[in-house]
Amino acid sequence: MNELIQIIEDDISVKKLLEIALKEYKFRSISCENKKSAMMLFLTHNPSLLIVDLGLPDGDGKEFIKQIREISKIPIIVVSARHDEKEIIDALDIGADDYITKPFSINELLARLRVALRRNTHDEKILDKIICTDIELNIASRDIFFKAEKLKLTPIEYELLKYFLLNTNKTLTHKQILKEVWGIGYQNEMQYLRTYVNTLRKKIEENSTRPTYIKTESGIGYRFSCHKD
Amino acid sequence: MPYISFKKKYSYGIFTYYHVEYINNFVSNFNYKVTKSIMKIEKKRYQKYTYLLKGFVILVVITLISHLFRDSLDIINIGLIHIIPVVIVAIHGNMKATIFITFLSVIFFNFLYIPPLYSFSVHNELYLWSFIIFAIVGWIITVQAKNLHMQTKQNELRESLLHIISHDLRTPLSTIHGTINLVLSNENMNANDRRSLLEDINYASLRMERLITNLLDSARLHSHDIDLKYEWCDFEDILGVVLKDFSQTQHDELLDIKIDDLGLYWGDNTLLTQLITNLLDNALKYSNDGSKIKLQIIYFNNFIKIEIFNKSEHIDKTKLKNIFDKFYRLEDTNDISGSGIGLAICKSIVKLHNGDIKAIAKNDGISIEVELPITKRLNLI
């Protein structure tokens, strides 16, 4: 792997940590400390992924994400302080692919980075079958199998699980899920999402308080975890 | 090779030396503090009686002096000096004591100096005003003194808070600092040792993070204008989030979780998560080694009951009452890190949801029981 990662981070020690970690795992990296030079670097170097800190000295990282989304589908991972749930949700809703909170573990960041890069390369393919460990979705026949047995799902449970399977290992905000599965106008009806996640967990998780598939990102949304490697 | 082993030993030596010194400091500091605070309490108890006695003695002395110089002192001056004992007692901020000494003072003054002499009756109504003024002066000073006392108390609390924070933050920090120095100075350390030391650093930093989160939350919960962010919460989901932070394998064996198949609960998701985290963290910290921790979440008609039980040495019932007070900690558990801030936060969160939290001693352990009223029911179409 030799992808070029662009880091936009104004905290020097975090930047250094990221640079060293990326180098260690055979990524190339370029970095900058503010929005202005970030755009310049992005346009001149054409990186494969962006790591963006939300609090930048010359403005909001979200603004930068918005600008990037107007011209590119490049994967974006947001770095933020833990208490900024609203910031994170906003960033995800305007098009960031994933987030990580400070203080973060490098392993977690690398895992999310790989997933984002992989998803980007697979993005264009139209799949007829999605397999995630014990779960198998056949899109044409609308069947989902769990441990080779057909799952009995209500239509909404099916739509929800399908949406999760199409977006594995990605943080999905409550709003995004409600909009995609229930439709526009349902963005704030959290009770539906909570209830259906609960019933879905009962069907696919061995221990619903230690979920291995549907992981809760507290205050933000859910992440459907799927480890192929 | 001998060189390496020497160096290793030496470094470990420094490491332990730092820690031993730190622990020693802390223990002696702590002993000193305890003795000092006991002395303070004793002194306070003693003082409680002395200032009243002092006021009384002064009153008697004043009365005697007034009696001796009655002719040269006018009745106004005698009245004025009879306020002195009231002032002296009132500055201690105890309203009952003030009323008592005012009453005595008025009686002495009335009985001995106000015509008709040596009787409690009053001929001139104007003197009744004097008695009322006595009471008003006493009242004003007591109220002012009370405010002042409260401020000092708050300052003391702030000071102890600072002390606790710096201690609790410094403990993991000293682990991090010492361990990093050890790793840095020991380039040839074997991989296993290094890994275990790094895990120590990781654990210490997690502890620091949790403490800082708690401190921030505590500040937020105690600023009075907090708005709860009500939403539909799933306790199973909350428990899942909480358990993610206690993911070490040993914890799973210790936990015995029973959760009703509940509907959704109308509350503040973030705060309820914090509540369960702190309850669990507390139970894990104070339970006897290796004993099971029971966590139950039960649905009743009008409320949800969260019950968490951990085995522990016998605990004094009077101490259990104070367990939720800010920064209170059972005295014999000072070797366990944590500032006692966790349970104080639990109490705030439960109160904000109009619920009730109590600690009960039973079956050789502590059971903490939370009751949260159900205020809204969900109707899914």
Side-chain angles (χ1 to χ4, degrees):
Chain A
M1 254 192 276
N2 241 328
E3 275 104 341
L4 181 67
I5 314 285
Q6 183 181 349
I7 303 162
I8 301 123
E9 165 67 78
D10 62 316
D11 186 320
I12 291 174
S13 58
V14 176
K15 199 175 83 179
K16 187 176 159 196
L17 177 69
L18 288 171
E19 283 167 355
I20 292 174
L22 289 175
K23 197 174 156 198
E24 192 68 23
Y25 288 88
K26 311 280 180 266
F27 289 105
R28 289 178 299 133
S29 73
I30 43 171
S31 47
C32 56
E33 279 143 41
N34 54 51
K35 232 166 76 180
K36 229 187 202 165
S37 46
M39 200 42 138
M40 289 264 288
L41 268 184
F42 175 77
L43 294 172
T44 50
H45 286 74
N46 191 24
S48 326
L49 185 140
L50 295 178
I51 298 176
V52 183
D53 185 351
L54 282 184
L56 294 173
D58 61 339
D60 201 334
K62 279 179 298 184
E63 282 298 313
F64 176 68
I65 296 172
K66 234 183 219 166
Q67 286 168 14
I68 291 288
R69 272 293 166 261
E70 281 166 14
I71 52 173
S72 164
K73 279 176 76 181
I74 178 177
I76 300 173
I77 294 179
V78 162
V79 179
S80 158
R82 176 156 293 188
H83 56 271
D84 284 345
E85 275 165 21
K86 208 185 155 300
E87 291 278 297
I88 295 168
I89 293 172
D90 288 348
L92 291 170
D93 281 341
I94 57 172
D97 291 81
D98 218 330
Y99 79 99
I100 193 146
T101 52
K102 285 184 206 171
F104 53 83
S105 94
I106 281 294
N107 284 334
E108 207 178 331
L109 174 69
L110 287 168
R112 297 194 175 194
L113 200 136
R114 289 199 186 101
V115 167
L117 283 170
R118 198 185 307 134
R119 190 182 307 109
N120 197 37
T121 53
H122 289 248
D123 222 16
E124 308 303 322
K125 278 190 222 159
I126 298 166
L127 299 163
D128 55 346
K129 210 181 222 182
I130 299 171
I131 299 170
C132 170
T133 22
D134 285 334
I135 302 173
E136 189 183 323
L137 164 70
N138 189 324
I139 290 178
S141 68
R142 293 175 60 90
D143 285 332
I144 297 182
F145 295 91
F146 178 63
K147 292 188 172 166
E149 228 172 276
K150 198 175 154 187
L151 272 181
K152 280 181 190 154
L153 298 172
T154 65
I156 288 184
E157 283 170 357
Y158 170 81
E159 289 299 330
L160 182 61
L161 187 51
K162 181 183 157 192
Y163 183 60
F164 277 140
L165 284 165
L166 288 169
N167 293 282
T168 51
N169 299 319
K170 185 182 173 188
T171 304
L172 303 164
T173 65
H174 298 131
K175 229 180 180 173
Q176 284 171 340
I177 304 172
L178 282 163
K179 201 172 126 193
E180 289 299 323
V181 178
W182 277 268
I184 293 167
Y186 282 86
Q187 280 100 318
N188 295 315
E189 307 291 321
M190 277 289 290
Q191 66 274 26
Y192 293 105
L193 185 53
R194 290 232 192 271
T195 308
Y196 278 95
V197 165
N198 188 300
T199 57
L200 206 50
R201 273 185 180 146
K202 296 256 153 59
K203 293 184 181 178
I204 60 170
E205 303 283 4
E206 277 185 16
N207 176 356
S208 40
T209 53
R210 287 265 191 213
T212 52
Y213 293 110
I214 310 175
K215 303 250 172 92
T216 303
E217 301 282 322
S218 193
I220 292 165
Y222 294 96
R223 156 194 297 272
F224 197 88
S225 176
C226 188
H227 294 291
K228 286 170 193 161
D229 37 21
Chain B
M1 286 310 275
Y3 171 65
I4 294 166
S5 66
F6 165 70
K7 197 174 174 190
K8 202 170 179 178
K9 211 171 170 185
Y10 176 65
S11 310
Y12 270 114
I14 286 187
F15 182 55
T16 17
Y17 170 67
Y18 273 135
H19 280 73
V20 167
E21 189 191 37
Y22 184 76
I23 290 163
N24 276 341
N25 265 344
F26 173 62
V27 168
S28 59
N29 218 342
F30 178 73
N31 280 338
Y32 168 70
K33 277 234 155 86
V34 168
T35 349
K36 210 176 147 193
S37 62
I38 288 172
M39 272 167 63
K40 235 183 183 171
I41 290 166
E42 290 288 307
K43 218 171 137 196
K44 262 188 187 157
R45 240 182 234 157
Y46 178 61
Q47 266 179 354
K48 202 171 164 182
Y49 301 106
T50 43
Y51 73 81
L52 246 180
L53 194 70
K54 223 195 275 170
F56 185 71
V57 169
I58 289 171
L59 179 61
V60 171
V61 171
I62 281 172
T63 313
L64 282 176
I65 291 171
S66 313
H67 214 65
L68 285 175
F69 300 99
R70 151 175 290 169
D71 300 331
S72 41
L73 288 168
D74 192 30
I75 192 141
I76 291 184
N77 294 322
I78 292 174
L80 277 176
I81 53 175
H82 272 78
I83 284 194
I84 294 174
V86 176
V87 173
I88 284 172
V89 172
I91 50 172
H92 288 88
N94 184 341
M95 199 55 95
K96 277 184 194 155
T98 311
I99 291 169
F100 175 69
I101 202 77
T102 311
F103 189 68
L104 271 188
S105 208
V106 165
I107 282 183
F108 274 50
F109 184 48
N110 181 9
F111 191 73
L112 296 172
Y113 305 103
I114 288 177
L117 294 184
Y118 311 117
S119 91
F120 291 112
S121 53
V122 180
H123 277 182
N124 192 339
E125 278 173 15
L126 268 175
Y127 291 120
L128 283 179
W129 280 108
S130 312
F131 302 157
I132 292 170
I133 290 170
F134 265 56
I136 292 174
V137 169
W139 179 76
I140 289 175
I141 296 177
T142 312
V143 169
Q144 295 291 345
K146 249 189 189 164
N147 286 342
L148 219 75
H149 278 268
M150 211 120 90
Q151 272 176 16
T152 356
K153 230 180 178 177
Q154 261 172 357
N155 280 343
E156 270 170 27
L157 186 76
R158 212 166 288 154
E159 225 168 79
S160 75
L161 169 68
L162 265 178
H163 174 78
I164 289 163
I165 293 169
S166 55
H167 165 249
D168 281 5
L169 283 176
R170 207 174 275 152
T171 313
L173 188 63
S174 67
T175 311
I176 293 172
H177 190 79
T179 318
I180 286 178
N181 275 337
L182 178 58
V183 173
L184 280 179
S185 62
N186 237 312
E187 277 165 21
N188 300 319
M189 189 184 292
N190 76 46
N192 274 349
D193 283 355
R194 184 186 295 263
R195 187 167 177 82
S196 117
L197 288 173
L198 290 176
E199 263 163 19
D200 287 350
I201 296 176
N202 194 24
Y203 182 72
S205 64
L206 282 177
R207 277 234 69 85
M208 277 178 95
E209 204 202 335
R210 201 170 292 167
L211 181 66
I212 291 168
T213 315
N214 264 343
L215 282 171
L216 289 175
D217 281 354
S218 153
R220 194 167 78 97
L221 292 174
H222 282 85
S223 66
H224 292 286
D225 46 33
I226 177 174
D227 283 329
L228 288 197
K229 225 183 106 206
Y230 278 107
E231 58 179 307
W232 289 108
C233 309
D234 178 5
F235 268 105
E236 236 178 279
D237 191 273
I238 287 176
L239 202 54
V241 171
V242 171
L243 289 177
K244 217 162 48 174
D245 281 345
F246 295 93
S247 62
Q248 280 125 319
T249 34
Q250 69 253 37
H251 286 150
D252 256 4
E253 290 165 18
L254 292 177
L255 291 174
D256 180 4
I257 294 172
K258 216 179 99 189
I259 180 165
D260 271 1
D261 199 359
L262 351 133
L264 301 181
Y265 178 76
W266 186 246
D268 187 309
N269 200 52
T270 318
L271 293 183
L272 292 174
T273 311
Q274 188 70 22
L275 171 71
I276 308 276
T277 305
N278 283 347
L279 287 176
L280 208 57
D281 194 37
N282 186 69
L284 283 166
K285 266 194 307 205
Y286 295 100
S287 71
N288 288 354
D289 279 346
S291 63
K292 279 236 172 198
I293 288 160
K294 277 185 203 151
L295 173 64
Q296 288 189 319
I297 304 181
I298 314 158
Y299 248 58
F300 288 94
N301 243 344
N302 296 315
F303 63 93
I304 286 179
K305 189 171 184 182
I306 304 168
E307 204 180 319
I308 185 159
F309 171 83
N310 66 274
K311 273 212 156 68
S312 184
E313 307 298 320
H314 180 67
I315 284 161
D316 196 341
K317 276 186 186 160
T318 50
K319 286 178 186 170
L320 282 182
K321 271 191 187 164
N322 297 328
I323 203 168
F324 300 108
D325 288 347
K326 210 171 188 178
F327 314 122
Y328 176 85
R329 255 199 307 184
L330 301 181
E331 280 143 25
D332 44 356
T333 50
N334 267 290
D335 52 333
I336 299 166
S337 60
S339 51
I341 192 176
L343 285 181
I345 289 178
C346 288
K347 191 178 176 183
S348 305
I349 293 172
V350 172
K351 288 281 165 228
L352 283 169
H353 285 86
N354 297 318
D356 201 26
I357 185 167
K358 54 187 178 229
I360 300 163
K362 65 176 183 190
N363 305 340
D364 318 318
I366 309 180
S367 170
I368 294 185
E369 301 186 5
V370 177
E371 284 181 14
L372 296 171
I374 295 173
T375 51
K376 202 169 162 183
R377 279 167 216 281
L378 179 66
N379 288 314
L380 279 182
I381 319 153

